[in-house]
Amino acid sequence: MIDVRRGADRYEGGDPDAGITTRHAFSFGSFYDPDNLRFGPVLACNEETLAPGAGFPEHPHSHTEIVTWVVEGELTHRDTTGTSSLVRPGDLQHLGAGSGARHVERNDGPVPLRFVQMWLAPLTAGGDPSYQLVREIADEEPYALPAAGAVLHVRRPGAGERTAVPAAERVYLHVVRGDLRLAGQELGPGDSARITGEQHLELLAASPAEVLLWELP
C-alpha cells in the first residue's frame, strides 16, 4: 500500500510573529488527529523555517530519537549532553533524548534557515542521552538508528535518474526538493509517502531531487 500525503495538507504551526513557521505531517501539539498519530516508529516529520535571529529556547525531550536534516542555512544546536554544534546542509544530526535531555535550536545566521526534523519512538524507553553529527552524509551511506530499529537513506537523483525504494516492511518517504514519480503518482517538495508491504519500487526524478527514505520495522 502507498499512502501519499501532500505538503499542502500539512498542519500549520510555529509562531510566525517570532519568525518561526512549522508544517507538521503528523498530529502535533494542538493539531490533533486521532487517525494521524504515527507511522510505525515515526512520530513527527516537521518542516521548520526560522528567520535570522529566531529559534526555540531551551526545552526538554524524553524517550524520543530526534533526527534533523538542514535544507538551507545553518542550525545552531546546544544541548545538555554538553554538545554545541553548527549543522549545515548535507549534515545529519541525531539527538537521542533517552530518559531526558534539553536543547536549544536557533538560526544565528544572516539568512533564513530551513530544516526537516523527524521524531522516532525508541524500541525501549529510557537510557542516557546521546548525540551524533554526521558531516556531509553521502547517498551510499545509510544512517542506522538501532534505538528505533530504523535506517535512514538519503537519495539525490539527477533528472531522469531512478533510485530504488528500500524493500522494508514499512518505508516513510519525504521529498525535500525536486519532482519525482512513484508508482504512477507525482511527488513534489514537502510531499510524503507511507509505504507498507511493497517490493521493487523505484523513484524516477523529473528534476534534480533530494529524498529522505526511512526503512522501518
Side-chain angles (χ1 to χ4, degrees):
M1 184 176 73
I2 303 174
D3 179 10
V4 172
R5 305 289 179 109
R6 299 300 177 185
D9 296 330
R10 287 172 172 259
Y11 306 107
E12 295 185 5
D15 184 354
D17 292 337
I20 302 171
T21 302
T22 306
R23 297 183 65 83
H24 303 287
F26 294 86
S27 286
F28 198 98
S30 61
F31 297 97
Y32 179 69
D33 178 352
D35 297 322
N36 189 25
L37 298 178
R38 62 190 294 170
F39 180 68
V42 180
L43 304 172
C45 180
N46 302 335
E47 293 184 319
E48 306 279 4
T49 302
L50 305 184
F56 300 100
E58 186 174 292
H59 57 282
H61 291 280
S62 61
H63 316 302
T64 311
E65 305 298 316
I66 303 168
V67 176
T68 304
W69 182 258
V70 173
V71 181
E72 296 175 352
E74 296 180 335
L75 171 66
T76 297
H77 169 94
R78 295 190 301 277
D79 65 51
T80 48
T81 70
T83 300
S84 179
S85 55
L86 194 62
V87 189
R88 302 180 178 91
D91 299 342
L92 184 147
Q93 176 181 264
H94 170 212
L95 174 65
S99 58
R102 302 177 68 87
H103 71 160
V104 175
E105 298 164 298
R106 289 190 52 79
N107 178 11
D108 292 326
V111 299
L113 164 66
R114 292 202 304 123
F115 62 94
V116 180
Q117 189 167 91
M118 298 155 286
W119 297 9
L120 285 79
L123 298 173
T124 303
D128 294 330
S130 62
Y131 180 87
Q132 186 172 18
L133 178 61
V134 181
R135 295 289 188 192
E136 299 181 356
I137 193 166
D139 284 19
E140 66 274 9
E141 184 181 358
Y143 183 79
L145 195 66
V151 178
L152 177 63
H153 303 266
V154 180
R155 294 289 182 265
R156 304 178 183 93
E161 293 182 349
R162 297 177 181 271
T163 187
V165 175
E169 178 61 28
R170 296 185 185 92
V171 175
Y172 184 79
L173 180 159
H174 174 83
V175 181
V176 177
R177 66 180 96 236
D179 299 293
L180 304 108
R181 179 183 288 269
L182 172 67
Q185 300 193 68
E186 305 292 336
L187 302 177
D191 290 348
S192 64
R194 306 174 190 190
I195 302 168
T196 306
E198 296 284 346
Q199 303 286 321
H200 312 300
L201 290 177
E202 286 188 324
L203 286 164
L204 173 62
S207 62
E210 186 171 80
V211 186
L212 304 177
L213 291 160
W214 279 107
E215 189 175 344
L216 305 169

